[in-house]
PDB file of all heavy atoms in Angstrom:
ATOM      1  N   HIS Z 231    -183.587  97.953  -3.563  1.00 96.00           N
ATOM      2  CA  HIS Z 231    -182.261  98.420  -3.982  1.00 96.00           C
ATOM      3  C   HIS Z 231    -181.938  99.793  -3.372  1.00 96.00           C
ATOM      4  O   HIS Z 231    -180.769 100.134  -3.205  1.00 96.00           O
ATOM      5  CB  HIS Z 231    -182.129  98.437  -5.516  1.00 96.00           C
ATOM      6  CG  HIS Z 231    -182.787  99.599  -6.187  1.00 96.00           C
ATOM      7  ND1 HIS Z 231    -184.082  99.563  -6.634  1.00 96.00           N
ATOM      8  CD2 HIS Z 231    -182.320 100.839  -6.491  1.00 96.00           C
ATOM      9  CE1 HIS Z 231    -184.393 100.729  -7.189  1.00 96.00           C
ATOM     10  NE2 HIS Z 231    -183.345 101.520  -7.111  1.00 96.00           N
ATOM     11  N   MET Z 232    -182.959 100.563  -3.014  1.00 96.00           N
ATOM     12  CA  MET Z 232    -182.710 101.870  -2.391  1.00 96.00           C
ATOM     13  C   MET Z 232    -182.154 101.692  -0.977  1.00 96.00           C
ATOM     14  O   MET Z 232    -181.262 102.427  -0.564  1.00 96.00           O
ATOM     15  CB  MET Z 232    -183.977 102.713  -2.382  1.00 96.00           C
ATOM     16  CG  MET Z 232    -184.452 103.029  -3.780  1.00 96.00           C
ATOM     17  SD  MET Z 232    -185.676 104.312  -3.783  1.00 96.00           S
ATOM     18  CE  MET Z 232    -184.618 105.630  -4.290  1.00 96.00           C
ATOM     19  N   GLY Z 233    -182.685 100.736  -0.241  1.00 97.00           N
ATOM     20  CA  GLY Z 233    -182.151 100.437   1.088  1.00 97.00           C
ATOM     21  C   GLY Z 233    -180.714  99.947   1.007  1.00 97.00           C
ATOM     22  O   GLY Z 233    -179.859 100.348   1.802  1.00 97.00           O
ATOM     23  N   ARG Z 234    -180.442  99.085   0.015  1.00 98.00           N
ATOM     24  CA  ARG Z 234    -179.080  98.585  -0.182  1.00 98.00           C
ATOM     25  C   ARG Z 234    -178.122  99.728  -0.526  1.00 98.00           C
ATOM     26  O   ARG Z 234    -177.017  99.799  -0.005  1.00 98.00           O
ATOM     27  CB  ARG Z 234    -179.064  97.550  -1.308  1.00 98.00           C
ATOM     28  CG  ARG Z 234    -178.952  96.153  -0.806  1.00 98.00           C
ATOM     29  CD  ARG Z 234    -178.821  95.128  -1.920  1.00 98.00           C
ATOM     30  NE  ARG Z 234    -179.882  94.150  -1.717  1.00 98.00           N
ATOM     31  CZ  ARG Z 234    -181.044  94.136  -2.335  1.00 98.00           C
ATOM     32  NH1 ARG Z 234    -181.331  95.014  -3.252  1.00 98.00           N
ATOM     33  NH2 ARG Z 234    -181.946  93.226  -2.061  1.00 98.00           N
ATOM     34  N   LYS Z 235    -178.567 100.602  -1.401  1.00 98.00           N
ATOM     35  CA  LYS Z 235    -177.725 101.731  -1.812  1.00 98.00           C
ATOM     36  C   LYS Z 235    -177.437 102.651  -0.622  1.00 98.00           C
ATOM     37  O   LYS Z 235    -176.311 103.123  -0.445  1.00 98.00           O
ATOM     38  CB  LYS Z 235    -178.406 102.508  -2.939  1.00 98.00           C
ATOM     39  CG  LYS Z 235    -177.556 103.607  -3.530  1.00 98.00           C
ATOM     40  CD  LYS Z 235    -178.260 104.244  -4.724  1.00 98.00           C
ATOM     41  CE  LYS Z 235    -177.455 105.381  -5.303  1.00 98.00           C
ATOM     42  NZ  LYS Z 235    -178.151 106.029  -6.426  1.00 98.00           N
ATOM     43  N   LEU Z 236    -178.439 102.898   0.206  1.00 98.00           N
ATOM     44  CA  LEU Z 236    -178.244 103.727   1.390  1.00 98.00           C
ATOM     45  C   LEU Z 236    -177.262 103.060   2.349  1.00 98.00           C
ATOM     46  O   LEU Z 236    -176.378 103.721   2.910  1.00 98.00           O
ATOM     47  CB  LEU Z 236    -179.578 103.993   2.084  1.00 98.00           C
ATOM     48  CG  LEU Z 236    -179.548 104.996   3.228  1.00 98.00           C
ATOM     49  CD1 LEU Z 236    -179.088 106.371   2.755  1.00 98.00           C
ATOM     50  CD2 LEU Z 236    -180.922 105.092   3.877  1.00 98.00           C
ATOM     51  N   TYR Z 237    -177.394 101.752   2.532  1.00 98.00           N
ATOM     52  CA  TYR Z 237    -176.451 101.012   3.373  1.00 98.00           C
ATOM     53  C   TYR Z 237    -175.023 101.150   2.832  1.00 98.00           C
ATOM     54  O   TYR Z 237    -174.087 101.413   3.593  1.00 98.00           O
ATOM     55  CB  TYR Z 237    -176.837  99.537   3.455  1.00 98.00           C
ATOM     56  CG  TYR Z 237    -175.722  98.686   4.003  1.00 98.00           C
ATOM     57  CD1 TYR Z 237    -175.418  98.696   5.360  1.00 98.00           C
ATOM     58  CD2 TYR Z 237    -174.942  97.902   3.157  1.00 98.00           C
ATOM     59  CE1 TYR Z 237    -174.372  97.938   5.866  1.00 98.00           C
ATOM     60  CE2 TYR Z 237    -173.901  97.148   3.648  1.00 98.00           C
ATOM     61  CZ  TYR Z 237    -173.616  97.163   4.999  1.00 98.00           C
ATOM     62  OH  TYR Z 237    -172.567  96.425   5.489  1.00 98.00           O
ATOM     63  N   GLU Z 238    -174.843 100.955   1.547  1.00 98.00           N
ATOM     64  CA  GLU Z 238    -173.508 101.038   0.951  1.00 98.00           C
ATOM     65  C   GLU Z 238    -172.907 102.433   1.138  1.00 98.00           C
ATOM     66  O   GLU Z 238    -171.720 102.570   1.424  1.00 98.00           O
ATOM     67  CB  GLU Z 238    -173.565 100.652  -0.529  1.00 98.00           C
ATOM     68  CG  GLU Z 238    -173.830  99.180  -0.728  1.00 98.00           C
ATOM     69  CD  GLU Z 238    -174.250  98.807  -2.141  1.00 98.00           C
ATOM     70  OE1 GLU Z 238    -174.245  99.690  -3.037  1.00 98.00           O
ATOM     71  OE2 GLU Z 238    -174.597  97.631  -2.355  1.00 98.00           O
ATOM     72  N   THR Z 239    -173.738 103.462   0.998  1.00 98.00           N
ATOM     73  CA  THR Z 239    -173.271 104.831   1.215  1.00 98.00           C
ATOM     74  C   THR Z 239    -172.814 105.017   2.656  1.00 98.00           C
ATOM     75  O   THR Z 239    -171.739 105.555   2.911  1.00 98.00           O
ATOM     76  CB  THR Z 239    -174.393 105.847   0.879  1.00 98.00           C
ATOM     77  OG1 THR Z 239    -174.753 105.690  -0.488  1.00 98.00           O
ATOM     78  CG2 THR Z 239    -173.951 107.271   1.139  1.00 98.00           C
ATOM     79  N   ALA Z 240    -173.631 104.565   3.592  1.00 98.00           N
ATOM     80  CA  ALA Z 240    -173.293 104.700   5.016  1.00 98.00           C
ATOM     81  C   ALA Z 240    -172.056 103.880   5.355  1.00 98.00           C
ATOM     82  O   ALA Z 240    -171.141 104.370   6.029  1.00 98.00           O
ATOM     83  CB  ALA Z 240    -174.470 104.266   5.879  1.00 98.00           C
ATOM     84  N   HIS Z 241    -172.029 102.645   4.899  1.00 98.00           N
ATOM     85  CA  HIS Z 241    -170.908 101.754   5.219  1.00 98.00           C
ATOM     86  C   HIS Z 241    -169.595 102.324   4.695  1.00 98.00           C
ATOM     87  O   HIS Z 241    -168.566 102.243   5.365  1.00 98.00           O
ATOM     88  CB  HIS Z 241    -171.170 100.357   4.648  1.00 98.00           C
ATOM     89  CG  HIS Z 241    -170.233  99.323   5.148  1.00 98.00           C
ATOM     90  ND1 HIS Z 241    -169.123  98.932   4.452  1.00 98.00           N
ATOM     91  CD2 HIS Z 241    -170.230  98.615   6.309  1.00 98.00           C
ATOM     92  CE1 HIS Z 241    -168.478  98.019   5.138  1.00 98.00           C
ATOM     93  NE2 HIS Z 241    -169.130  97.804   6.283  1.00 98.00           N
ATOM     94  N   SER Z 242    -169.634 102.926   3.525  1.00 98.00           N
ATOM     95  CA  SER Z 242    -168.422 103.540   2.963  1.00 98.00           C
ATOM     96  C   SER Z 242    -167.961 104.737   3.780  1.00 98.00           C
ATOM     97  O   SER Z 242    -166.765 104.988   3.911  1.00 98.00           O
ATOM     98  CB  SER Z 242    -168.666 103.992   1.523  1.00 98.00           C
ATOM     99  OG  SER Z 242    -168.884 102.886   0.697  1.00 98.00           O
ATOM    100  N   ALA Z 243    -168.910 105.488   4.327  1.00 98.00           N
ATOM    101  CA  ALA Z 243    -168.581 106.734   5.019  1.00 98.00           C
ATOM    102  C   ALA Z 243    -168.225 106.543   6.498  1.00 98.00           C
ATOM    103  O   ALA Z 243    -167.424 107.307   7.041  1.00 98.00           O
ATOM    104  CB  ALA Z 243    -169.755 107.705   4.909  1.00 98.00           C
ATOM    105  N   TYR Z 244    -168.821 105.558   7.142  1.00 98.00           N
ATOM    106  CA  TYR Z 244    -168.602 105.361   8.578  1.00 98.00           C
ATOM    107  C   TYR Z 244    -167.161 104.939   8.855  1.00 98.00           C
ATOM    108  O   TYR Z 244    -166.622 104.060   8.188  1.00 98.00           O
ATOM    109  CB  TYR Z 244    -169.535 104.282   9.124  1.00 98.00           C
ATOM    110  CG  TYR Z 244    -170.812 104.796   9.753  1.00 98.00           C
ATOM    111  CD1 TYR Z 244    -171.761 105.473   9.000  1.00 98.00           C
ATOM    112  CD2 TYR Z 244    -171.083 104.575  11.091  1.00 98.00           C
ATOM    113  CE1 TYR Z 244    -172.946 105.918   9.562  1.00 98.00           C
ATOM    114  CE2 TYR Z 244    -172.262 105.025  11.672  1.00 98.00           C
ATOM    115  CZ  TYR Z 244    -173.182 105.696  10.901  1.00 98.00           C
ATOM    116  OH  TYR Z 244    -174.352 106.133  11.472  1.00 98.00           O
ATOM    117  N   LYS Z 245    -166.560 105.571   9.843  1.00 96.00           N
ATOM    118  CA  LYS Z 245    -165.218 105.168  10.269  1.00 96.00           C
ATOM    119  C   LYS Z 245    -165.278 103.798  10.930  1.00 96.00           C
ATOM    120  O   LYS Z 245    -164.445 102.946  10.678  1.00 96.00           O
ATOM    121  CB  LYS Z 245    -164.630 106.207  11.228  1.00 96.00           C
ATOM    122  CG  LYS Z 245    -164.283 107.498  10.537  1.00 96.00           C
ATOM    123  CD  LYS Z 245    -163.728 108.526  11.499  1.00 96.00           C
ATOM    124  CE  LYS Z 245    -163.490 109.807  10.715  1.00 96.00           C
ATOM    125  NZ  LYS Z 245    -163.540 110.987  11.517  1.00 96.00           N
ATOM    126  N   ASP Z 246    -166.276 103.604  11.813  1.00 97.00           N
ATOM    127  CA  ASP Z 246    -166.459 102.329  12.490  1.00 97.00           C
ATOM    128  C   ASP Z 246    -167.527 101.544  11.734  1.00 97.00           C
ATOM    129  O   ASP Z 246    -168.726 101.711  11.964  1.00 97.00           O
ATOM    130  CB  ASP Z 246    -166.871 102.557  13.946  1.00 97.00           C
ATOM    131  CG  ASP Z 246    -167.000 101.269  14.744  1.00 97.00           C
ATOM    132  OD1 ASP Z 246    -166.937 100.165  14.130  1.00 97.00           O
ATOM    133  OD2 ASP Z 246    -167.183 101.353  15.968  1.00 97.00           O
ATOM    134  N   LYS Z 247    -167.087 100.682  10.847  1.00 97.00           N
ATOM    135  CA  LYS Z 247    -167.992  99.926   9.972  1.00 97.00           C
ATOM    136  C   LYS Z 247    -168.930  99.001  10.757  1.00 97.00           C
ATOM    137  O   LYS Z 247    -169.987  98.639  10.267  1.00 97.00           O
ATOM    138  CB  LYS Z 247    -167.209  99.080   8.965  1.00 97.00           C
ATOM    139  CG  LYS Z 247    -166.151  99.837   8.191  1.00 97.00           C
ATOM    140  CD  LYS Z 247    -166.741 100.717   7.142  1.00 97.00           C
ATOM    141  CE  LYS Z 247    -165.646 101.319   6.276  1.00 97.00           C
ATOM    142  NZ  LYS Z 247    -165.969 102.617   5.776  1.00 97.00           N
ATOM    143  N   THR Z 248    -168.540  98.632  11.974  1.00 97.00           N
ATOM    144  CA  THR Z 248    -169.386  97.730  12.771  1.00 97.00           C
ATOM    145  C   THR Z 248    -170.664  98.413  13.249  1.00 97.00           C
ATOM    146  O   THR Z 248    -171.582  97.748  13.705  1.00 97.00           O
ATOM    147  CB  THR Z 248    -168.624  97.184  13.991  1.00 97.00           C
ATOM    148  OG1 THR Z 248    -168.316  98.264  14.886  1.00 97.00           O
ATOM    149  CG2 THR Z 248    -167.345  96.474  13.570  1.00 97.00           C
ATOM    150  N   LYS Z 249    -170.731  99.724  13.136  1.00 98.00           N
ATOM    151  CA  LYS Z 249    -171.916 100.465  13.584  1.00 98.00           C
ATOM    152  C   LYS Z 249    -173.015 100.518  12.529  1.00 98.00           C
ATOM    153  O   LYS Z 249    -174.095 101.043  12.793  1.00 98.00           O
ATOM    154  CB  LYS Z 249    -171.537 101.892  13.979  1.00 98.00           C
ATOM    155  CG  LYS Z 249    -170.778 101.978  15.282  1.00 98.00           C
ATOM    156  CD  LYS Z 249    -170.592 103.427  15.672  1.00 98.00           C
ATOM    157  CE  LYS Z 249    -170.021 103.560  17.053  1.00 98.00           C
ATOM    158  NZ  LYS Z 249    -169.954 104.966  17.460  1.00 98.00           N
ATOM    159  N   VAL Z 250    -172.744  99.997  11.350  1.00 98.00           N
ATOM    160  CA  VAL Z 250    -173.730 100.041  10.265  1.00 98.00           C
ATOM    161  C   VAL Z 250    -174.162  98.619   9.922  1.00 98.00           C
ATOM    162  O   VAL Z 250    -173.325  97.784   9.594  1.00 98.00           O
ATOM    163  CB  VAL Z 250    -173.154 100.717   9.004  1.00 98.00           C
ATOM    164  CG1 VAL Z 250    -174.211 100.834   7.920  1.00 98.00           C
ATOM    165  CG2 VAL Z 250    -172.569 102.061   9.328  1.00 98.00           C
ATOM    166  N   LYS Z 251    -175.455  98.361  10.018  1.00 98.00           N
ATOM    167  CA  LYS Z 251    -175.998  97.029   9.726  1.00 98.00           C
ATOM    168  C   LYS Z 251    -177.144  97.145   8.727  1.00 98.00           C
ATOM    169  O   LYS Z 251    -177.888  98.120   8.731  1.00 98.00           O
ATOM    170  CB  LYS Z 251    -176.539  96.361  10.995  1.00 98.00           C
ATOM    171  CG  LYS Z 251    -175.544  96.234  12.126  1.00 98.00           C
ATOM    172  CD  LYS Z 251    -174.604  95.097  11.915  1.00 98.00           C
ATOM    173  CE  LYS Z 251    -173.729  94.919  13.153  1.00 98.00           C
ATOM    174  NZ  LYS Z 251    -172.412  94.522  12.876  1.00 98.00           N
ATOM    175  N   PHE Z 252    -177.272  96.114   7.915  1.00 98.00           N
ATOM    176  CA  PHE Z 252    -178.352  96.044   6.937  1.00 98.00           C
ATOM    177  C   PHE Z 252    -178.995  94.670   7.048  1.00 98.00           C
ATOM    178  O   PHE Z 252    -178.301  93.654   6.940  1.00 98.00           O
ATOM    179  CB  PHE Z 252    -177.803  96.280   5.535  1.00 98.00           C
ATOM    180  CG  PHE Z 252    -178.831  96.261   4.437  1.00 98.00           C
ATOM    181  CD1 PHE Z 252    -179.951  97.057   4.498  1.00 98.00           C
ATOM    182  CD2 PHE Z 252    -178.663  95.469   3.315  1.00 98.00           C
ATOM    183  CE1 PHE Z 252    -180.896  97.071   3.478  1.00 98.00           C
ATOM    184  CE2 PHE Z 252    -179.592  95.468   2.286  1.00 98.00           C
ATOM    185  CZ  PHE Z 252    -180.711  96.269   2.367  1.00 98.00           C
ATOM    186  N   ILE Z 253    -180.274  94.637   7.286  1.00 98.00           N
ATOM    187  CA  ILE Z 253    -181.004  93.377   7.399  1.00 98.00           C
ATOM    188  C   ILE Z 253    -182.115  93.378   6.360  1.00 98.00           C
ATOM    189  O   ILE Z 253    -182.924  94.310   6.308  1.00 98.00           O
ATOM    190  CB  ILE Z 253    -181.599  93.186   8.807  1.00 98.00           C
ATOM    191  CG1 ILE Z 253    -180.483  93.149   9.855  1.00 98.00           C
ATOM    192  CG2 ILE Z 253    -182.442  91.912   8.865  1.00 98.00           C
ATOM    193  CD1 ILE Z 253    -180.972  93.127  11.292  1.00 98.00           C
ATOM    194  N   THR Z 254    -182.130  92.324   5.553  1.00 98.00           N
ATOM    195  CA  THR Z 254    -183.219  92.165   4.597  1.00 98.00           C
ATOM    196  C   THR Z 254    -184.120  91.029   5.060  1.00 98.00           C
ATOM    197  O   THR Z 254    -183.674  90.105   5.740  1.00 98.00           O
ATOM    198  CB  THR Z 254    -182.700  91.862   3.178  1.00 98.00           C
ATOM    199  OG1 THR Z 254    -181.920  90.673   3.217  1.00 98.00           O
ATOM    200  CG2 THR Z 254    -181.873  93.007   2.639  1.00 98.00           C
ATOM    201  N   PHE Z 255    -185.364  91.132   4.690  1.00 98.00           N
ATOM    202  CA  PHE Z 255    -186.347  90.118   5.032  1.00 98.00           C
ATOM    203  C   PHE Z 255    -186.811  89.471   3.743  1.00 98.00           C
ATOM    204  O   PHE Z 255    -187.238  90.165   2.820  1.00 98.00           O
ATOM    205  CB  PHE Z 255    -187.520  90.756   5.789  1.00 98.00           C
ATOM    206  CG  PHE Z 255    -187.105  91.368   7.089  1.00 98.00           C
ATOM    207  CD1 PHE Z 255    -186.651  92.682   7.138  1.00 98.00           C
ATOM    208  CD2 PHE Z 255    -187.113  90.629   8.260  1.00 98.00           C
ATOM    209  CE1 PHE Z 255    -186.239  93.252   8.334  1.00 98.00           C
ATOM    210  CE2 PHE Z 255    -186.694  91.179   9.462  1.00 98.00           C
ATOM    211  CZ  PHE Z 255    -186.259  92.492   9.496  1.00 98.00           C
ATOM    212  N   PRO Z 256    -186.716  88.139   3.661  1.00 97.00           N
ATOM    213  CA  PRO Z 256    -187.046  87.456   2.413  1.00 97.00           C
ATOM    214  C   PRO Z 256    -188.510  87.634   2.009  1.00 97.00           C
ATOM    215  O   PRO Z 256    -189.392  87.801   2.849  1.00 97.00           O
ATOM    216  CB  PRO Z 256    -186.734  85.987   2.692  1.00 97.00           C
ATOM    217  CG  PRO Z 256    -186.474  85.862   4.141  1.00 97.00           C
ATOM    218  CD  PRO Z 256    -186.300  87.226   4.712  1.00 97.00           C
TER     219      PRO Z 256
END
């Protein structure tokens, strides 16, 4: 959940949303 939270913070802040990716491994 910490990785997800960091992604959400970055995704919200980045002007170009395509530059932020989050990959989870099952």
Side-chain angles (χ1 to χ4, degrees):
H231 78 269
M232 297 194 102
R234 256 185 235 98
K235 186 175 178 182
L236 188 61
Y237 165 75
E238 290 165 5
T239 300
H241 192 263
S242 294
Y244 264 64
K245 290 179 183 154
D246 184 351
K247 309 285 187 211
T248 65
K249 287 187 172 185
V250 184
K251 304 281 186 216
F252 181 53
I253 299 173
T254 59
F255 298 87

